[in-house]
Amino acid sequence: MIEALSNNHLFGILLTVGLFYGGMALRNHFRKNWINPLLISVFVIVLLLKLAQIPYEQYMQGAGIIHDFLGPVTVVLALPLYRQRRLLVKYKLAIISGIVSGVLASLVSVLLLGRVFGLNNMLERSLLPHSITTPIGIAVSNDISGMEGITVVSIILTGLIGASVAGVFFRLLRITHPVARGLALGTSAHAIGTSKAIELGETEGAVSSLSIGVAAITTVVLVAVMQMAGWY
Amino acid sequence: MKIFRQLAIILSINFAGELLSKGLSLPLPGSIVGMLILLVLLLTGVVKEVHIAETANFFLEKMPFFFIPAGVSVMVAYQFIDGHLAAVIGTIVLSTLFVIVVSALVSQVIIKKKNND
């Protein structure tokens, strides 16, 4: 009976579209930014598939078509980068140094903490791109044989954590410059951090949106170097 | 009409990126090569923002929708997290705090130093 419903291309597509719409409706109704339609959709779909004992492959018959659009979604990330190019030129030294050191901090800390906490190699690879924007994080994770599901969930968690605690650290460390604030939010917490940065101010938002792209490209390049050096 | 023309441009760039990445065995994923190609085309004025604007904005604004299937694959990966959940969350939290502190301090120190010169 369930098989007749789930073993159909439209099942995965309808489930994904319907739940994302529901998540967006919830967020708009309660007007709360921390209500994350992506996280809600993923949670409810996993729960439904588990309860009804529907295999992931059956869901992906249809949902795979949505997954295939990650390519064009990644390509258009060039646009916000292009829109903020003047800001990048104006603060090039501070922005490039801040982002490269932030990305290094992310990669090195995952590897070190992984050793300390005894994470296995597969988990370490999946968590490595946790600070960057999801479509590029997925590409990096697949490239180094991580598990994209773990990567996506870790990226959302990172965004929610970064956006909620950054303000505390800005006060503690006396980070007052709008460029430094925006840069830290975009580098650590990608798009979720950027929505927080936009609340802080126009410059913060613009720098944060620029940092998403630069941090992602820097991560891709550094991971490629790590691969060529034979570490991965 | 316009939407399809814009989508065709974006998909062609994506396709070119995939072909280049595979053909030249680049160490970068094809979608990212595509992103760099689009950036170069925008900077050189070969592609203008109006050529892709509406379709690109739709993808940018509704981006999280396209991550749902990848996120759902956590159900086939959960067995690998089982028993390591605290370690995974600990790594994510501490690493995120570290990135905020390092990137904020480095950029602010450089900006302030430049202003004093």
Side-chain angles (χ1 to χ4, degrees):
Chain A
M1 168 53 192
I2 287 173
E3 170 86 15
L5 288 174
S6 64
N7 197 5
N8 183 316
H9 268 81
L10 277 172
F11 170 74
I13 300 178
L14 181 60
L15 196 60
T16 310
V17 171
L19 278 166
F20 191 71
Y21 170 71
M24 294 285 279
L26 265 179
R27 174 192 226 151
N28 292 343
H29 181 75
F30 291 104
R31 293 164 202 262
K32 293 274 185 286
N33 266 333
W34 52 261
I35 296 180
N36 188 304
L38 168 58
L39 209 54
I40 294 171
S41 308
V42 169
F43 181 76
V44 176
I45 293 172
V46 170
L47 202 67
L48 268 171
L49 297 182
K50 286 277 181 202
L51 286 177
Q53 295 181 322
I54 299 167
Y56 174 69
E57 290 70 27
Q58 272 185 15
Y59 164 71
M60 279 307 271
Q61 279 181 31
I65 296 160
I66 299 167
H67 190 266
D68 289 340
F69 274 88
L70 284 176
V73 165
T74 307
V75 170
V76 299
L77 281 171
L79 198 56
L81 212 53
Y82 171 75
R83 284 175 182 151
Q84 306 300 344
R85 65 195 178 281
R86 284 187 192 89
L87 210 54
L88 177 60
V89 173
K90 189 174 173 197
Y91 293 102
K92 51 185 174 298
L93 185 62
I95 289 180
I96 300 292
S97 326
I99 293 175
V100 171
S101 57
V103 169
L104 277 172
S106 178
L107 298 176
V108 170
S109 64
V110 168
L111 294 178
L112 284 180
L113 290 163
R115 299 289 138 85
V116 173
F117 291 140
L119 288 182
N120 62 46
N121 196 265
M122 203 282 304
L123 284 175
E124 215 174 81
R125 286 162 189 259
S126 309
L127 296 186
L128 211 53
H130 77 98
S131 293
I132 63 174
T133 184
T134 314
I136 302 186
I138 293 171
V140 170
S141 178
N142 285 325
D143 216 36
I144 58 177
S145 320
M147 304 214 77
E148 60 178 17
I150 298 176
T151 305
V152 172
V153 175
S154 79
I155 290 173
I156 305 168
L157 281 180
T158 299
L160 293 171
I161 296 162
S164 49
V165 303
V168 178
F169 282 88
F170 292 162
R171 278 192 296 279
L172 276 176
L173 303 167
R174 299 204 173 81
I175 304 297
T176 50
H177 201 283
V179 170
R181 290 178 160 213
L183 184 142
L185 276 164
T187 306
S188 66
H190 48 92
I192 305 180
T194 300
S195 56
K196 180 75 195 171
I198 291 167
E199 289 172 22
L200 296 179
E202 200 183 331
T203 309
E204 285 89 336
V207 177
S208 185
S209 139
L210 167 74
S211 305
I212 295 177
V214 179
I217 295 171
T218 309
T219 302
V220 170
V221 171
L222 288 179
V223 170
V225 170
M226 285 164 68
Q227 275 179 296
M228 283 188 284
W231 293 355
Y232 270 106
Chain B
M1 256 298 272
K2 191 158 78 177
I3 296 294
F4 290 104
R5 191 175 61 222
Q6 295 184 345
L7 189 57
I9 293 173
I10 295 167
L11 288 172
S12 311
I13 295 171
N14 189 189
F15 197 43
E18 293 288 346
L19 292 179
L20 267 176
S21 171
K22 287 220 173 67
L24 303 177
S25 318
L26 298 177
L28 308 177
S31 58
I32 289 145
V33 176
M35 172 189 167
L36 295 173
I37 294 174
L38 176 58
L39 188 62
V40 170
L41 293 176
L42 286 166
L43 288 170
T44 52
V46 177
V47 170
K48 300 228 165 24
E49 210 175 316
V50 291
H51 294 149
I52 53 166
E54 284 81 4
T55 306
N57 285 338
F58 171 76
F59 281 136
L60 289 168
E61 282 161 22
K62 306 291 182 267
M63 196 175 271
F65 168 73
F66 298 95
F67 310 151
I68 296 174
V72 172
S73 76
V74 79
M75 70 185 278
V76 291
Y78 189 78
Q79 46 175 319
F80 296 98
I81 309 181
D82 214 13
H84 296 278
L85 191 60
V88 168
I89 293 178
T91 304
I92 294 171
V93 172
L94 292 175
S95 171
T96 304
L97 302 186
F98 192 48
V99 177
I100 295 174
V101 170
V102 170
S103 58
L105 281 177
V106 169
S107 52
Q108 177 155 293
V109 165
I110 293 176
I111 293 167
K112 294 222 158 143
K113 204 173 159 201
K114 210 177 165 191
N115 290 345
N116 292 338
D117 283 344

